[in-house]
Amino acid sequence: MLRATAEGVTLAVRAQPGAKKTAITGVYGEGEAAQLKIAVHAPPLEGRANQALIAFLAETLGVAKSAVELKTGDLSRSKVFCCAGCRWRRRKLHFLPATC
């Protein structure tokens, strides 16, 4: 779900677009294939849900939106985001479930 890279940190996400509100709702899958499940208020049209996820992750991680980049999964519910300059620190990422 969360991996340190030379660029920063990558985060595997399972998006649920069209939700009542944007929020972390749990974990999807197990082990190495686990993804952070995030409900997104925006619809999956014209990249709106992707942009909403970027804004949500940036706010949650406390970084600028320009630091969060969608690496894979542009048209899929399964996505990988990269947070440039982020470092793996449990206290910084306190919003993640204990299984990360």
Side-chain angles (χ1 to χ4, degrees):
M1 174 177 331
L2 195 63
R3 291 183 176 81
T5 67
E7 298 172 326
V9 173
T10 61
L11 180 62
V13 170
R14 179 71 175 188
Q16 297 176 299
K20 288 186 178 185
K21 66 176 189 171
T22 300
I24 297 170
T25 58
V27 176
Y28 179 83
E30 296 178 359
E32 291 292 317
Q35 300 171 314
L36 188 63
K37 193 167 28 171
I38 302 178
V40 184
H41 178 70
L45 300 171
E46 300 171 355
R48 290 186 218 166
N50 290 337
Q51 290 305 312
L53 276 168
I54 288 171
F56 177 75
L57 289 172
E59 181 181 334
T60 303
L61 293 169
V63 297
K65 285 194 284 187
S66 60
V68 180
E69 177 186 0
L70 177 61
K71 294 297 241 180
T72 64
D74 188 44
L75 299 176
S76 172
R77 286 181 180 233
S78 295
K79 301 174 182 300
V80 175
F81 290 91
C82 181
C83 178
C86 291
R87 297 288 176 251
W88 168 257
R89 291 179 290 187
R90 172 67 67 191
R91 61 184 147 74
K92 173 73 173 168
L93 303 175
H94 65 277
F95 65 91
L96 291 175
T99 57
C100 296

